[in-house]
């Protein structure tokens, strides 16, 4: 007998209407679950494609691309000590202190970091940026050099933005893998970045991937939020995402 909930599978990738064999789920679904779990674990331990990201960003966007690293010395320490992933290594901070004046005081700085799924940013960061950056430049916003940070958490963008003295920082980061989404990327934007800020100061665009929020929709939302944040001088809980509402009004 067909599961009465099976029709709902067309609306979600969640694990529903799996069927049953006796008191358990079918063997095929159990194997699929174990495979999804393996993909999630692999994503957590995946590595940032530094060479690939540097090459494409510098060539396509014609922006300097620099490599930084957090205080987490290796992946196990990164997972066990989240605080170290939020802070720049002293040698990385020294590199930012020595930046030329021409790199400072820009409107927007993009930071790309691995987070809990380097796979996500390796796959999705460039498609998103290829849609967002030309639009931001066309609007007249100045962009700081792009910085790649290994073993980084969201808050690592705060010291980067502070050193750059940028008006706003955008962190593209791999989100915690789910059993149906090992490659979900998030974009966090923070106005007036400074060490010590919390998530109350940030806006988040989550689940950026073809099976979640599309690149086009994510770029629309990101550009809208950046325009509003820079115009109003705020971000986080004080900045509301009315982009969907405005789109409906235009329709």
């Amino acid at each position: 007998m067909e599961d009465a909930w099976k029709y709902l599978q067309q609306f979600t990738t969640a694990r529903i209407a799996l069927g049953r064999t006796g008191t358990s789920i079918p063997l095929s679904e159990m194997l699929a679950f174990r495979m999804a779990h393996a993909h999630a674990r692999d994503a957590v331990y995946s590595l940032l494609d530094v060479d690939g990201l540097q090459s494409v960003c510098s060539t396509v966007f014609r922006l300097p691309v620099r490599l930084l690293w957090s205080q987490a010395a290796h992946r196990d320490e990164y997972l066990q000590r989240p605080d170290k992933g939020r802070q720049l290594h002293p040698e990385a901070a020294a590199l930012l202190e020595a930046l030329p004046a021409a790199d400072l005081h820009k409107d927007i700085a993009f930071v790309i970091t691995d987070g809990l799924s380097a796979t996500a940013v390796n796959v999705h960061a460039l498609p998103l940026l290829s849609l967002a950056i030309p639009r931001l430049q066309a609007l007249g916003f100045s962009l700081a050099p792009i910085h790649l940070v290994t073993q980084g958490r969201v808050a690592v963008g705060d010291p980067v933005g502070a050193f750059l003295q940028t008006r706003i920082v955008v962190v593209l980061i791999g989100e915690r893998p789910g059993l149906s989404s090992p490659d979900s990327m998030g974009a966090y934007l923070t106005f007036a970045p400074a060490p010590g800020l919390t998530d109350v100061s940030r806006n988040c665009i989550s689940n950026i991937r073809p099976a979640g929020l599309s690149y086009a929709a994510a770029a629309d939302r990101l550009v809208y939020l950046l325009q509003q944040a820079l115009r109003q001088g705020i971000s986080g809980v004080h900045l509301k995402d009315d982009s969907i509402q405005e789109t409906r009004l235009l329709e």
Side-chain angles (χ1 to χ4, degrees), residues 115-251:
L116 289 171
S117 174
T119 298
V121 289
N122 289 341
V123 175
H124 306 312
L126 295 177
L128 174 64
L129 291 177
S130 68
L131 294 176
I133 285 181
R135 291 172 60 180
L136 293 170
Q137 292 173 326
L139 289 168
F141 294 122
S142 57
L143 302 182
I146 296 173
H147 285 85
L148 310 178
V149 183
T150 59
Q151 312 291 10
R153 303 268 176 175
V154 172
V156 80
D158 294 337
V160 176
F163 277 116
L164 291 171
Q165 301 177 58
T166 185
R167 296 179 65 195
I168 195 164
V169 66
V170 180
V171 177
L172 303 183
I173 188 169
E175 298 179 313
R176 186 183 304 276
L179 289 178
S180 60
S181 56
D183 63 339
S184 179
M185 186 180 74
Y188 291 78
L189 60 98
T190 309
F191 185 82
L197 295 180
T198 64
D199 287 344
V200 73
S201 301
R202 316 185 202 288
N203 292 83
C204 175
I205 303 171
S206 185
N207 196 31
I208 302 170
R209 60 193 183 100
L213 185 67
S214 70
Y215 301 138
D220 287 344
R221 193 164 298 178
L222 178 60
V223 171
Y224 174 84
L225 285 172
L226 287 171
Q227 286 180 286
Q228 295 302 312
L230 292 168
R231 181 175 65 84
Q232 301 179 47
I234 55 175
S235 63
V237 296
H238 301 294
L239 179 63
K240 305 305 178 185
D241 183 0
D242 298 321
S243 57
I244 297 177
Q245 180 178 344
E246 289 200 3
T247 299
R248 289 173 177 168
L249 288 175
L250 291 173
E251 291 175 350

Side-chain angles (χ1 to χ4, degrees), residues 24-40:
S24 183
I25 64 174
L27 176 60
S28 60
E29 294 296 343
M30 175 59 73
L31 293 175
F33 174 85
R34 296 183 66 177
M35 179 63 77
H37 185 260
H39 285 316

Side-chain angles (χ1 to χ4, degrees), residues 70-81:
S70 76
Q71 293 186 12
H74 47 75
R75 201 60 178 170
D76 287 337
E77 184 175 50
Y78 171 85
L79 296 172
Q80 295 167 11
R81 292 287 305 274

Side-chain angles (χ1 to χ4, degrees), residues 37-122:
H37 185 260
H39 285 316
R41 287 179 58 86
D42 287 347
V44 169
Y45 284 94
S46 59
L47 300 176
L48 197 65
D49 181 13
V50 172
D51 292 339
L53 291 169
Q54 280 186 314
S55 175
V56 176
C57 285
S58 59
T59 302
V60 175
F61 306 127
R62 300 185 181 279
L63 291 170
V65 184
R66 300 191 176 96
L67 176 63
L68 304 172
W69 55 99
S70 76
Q71 293 186 12
H74 47 75
R75 201 60 178 170
D76 287 337
E77 184 175 50
Y78 171 85
L79 296 172
Q80 295 167 11
R81 292 287 305 274
D83 58 310
K84 290 195 172 185
R86 301 184 184 107
Q87 303 172 60
L88 284 175
H89 190 280
E91 293 181 5
L95 293 176
L96 289 174
E97 287 181 330
L99 288 178
D103 290 346
L104 308 180
H105 303 290
K106 304 297 186 182
D107 293 319
I108 304 166
F110 283 98
V111 174
I112 303 174
T113 189
D114 38 20
L116 289 171
S117 174
T119 298
V121 289
N122 289 341

